[in-house]
Amino acid sequence: QVQLVESGGGLVQAGGSLRLSCATTTHTFSGYTMAWFRQAPGKEREFVARITWNSATTYYADSVKGRFTISRDSAKNTVYLQMNSLKPEDTALYYCAGRVTGTADYNSWGQGTQVTVSS
């Protein structure tokens, strides 16, 4: 497992932007697929976006496609989620997660960072 630390959450008005970061100081993300998930109060956790570290291939949930961008900085061992045109329904606790590319389960999780979008 990889130790993950998220940052960058906060309170923003609808239409605004935030950038989340997920870093590790204990490992390299090489060979991993990194993802962002979110969980709103009373709802199940849902997938947001993922990036395959070595190829930088990305994939997004339909609900965020065109608004969110996942990226990575290999030198900093950090993965980002740039969130633009935020909506109140984007309000959730956002988690960074990782799995070895080619495996099914995300077995490394961060503690979560809160994103609140006001209308």
Side-chain angles (χ1 to χ4, degrees):
Q1 293 186 355
V2 179
Q3 190 172 20
L4 303 174
V5 179
E6 302 107 328
S7 61
L11 174 64
V12 64
Q13 288 188 334
S17 299
L18 283 174
R19 188 178 79 159
L20 306 183
S21 300
C22 173
T24 179
T25 59
T26 62
H27 206 269
T28 174
F29 287 145
S30 178
Y32 272 70
T33 294
M34 301 303 299
W36 289 94
F37 290 79
R38 67 186 181 185
Q39 186 167 20
K43 295 187 177 181
E44 293 189 354
R45 186 169 58 197
E46 64 173 354
F47 167 81
V48 175
R50 69 169 183 257
I51 184 167
T52 303
W53 195 263
N54 291 13
S55 66
T57 303
T58 59
Y59 182 79
Y60 298 91
D62 287 343
S63 58
V64 305
K65 200 173 295 183
R67 300 188 298 123
F68 290 10
T69 302
I70 189 170
S71 62
R72 67 39 156 175
D73 185 327
S74 297
K76 296 182 179 179
N77 272 326
T78 300
V79 60
Y80 302 100
L81 185 68
Q82 178 66 44
M83 305 184 294
N84 299 328
S85 302
L86 282 161
K87 305 174 181 179
E89 51 263 43
D90 294 318
T91 295
L93 189 60
Y94 283 71
Y95 295 93
C96 176
R99 59 176 169 86
V100 175
T101 299
T103 63
D105 296 327
Y106 289 91
N107 61 356
S108 298
W109 291 85
Q111 80 287 353
T113 185
Q114 179 67 39
V115 172
T116 303
V117 184
S118 63
S119 57

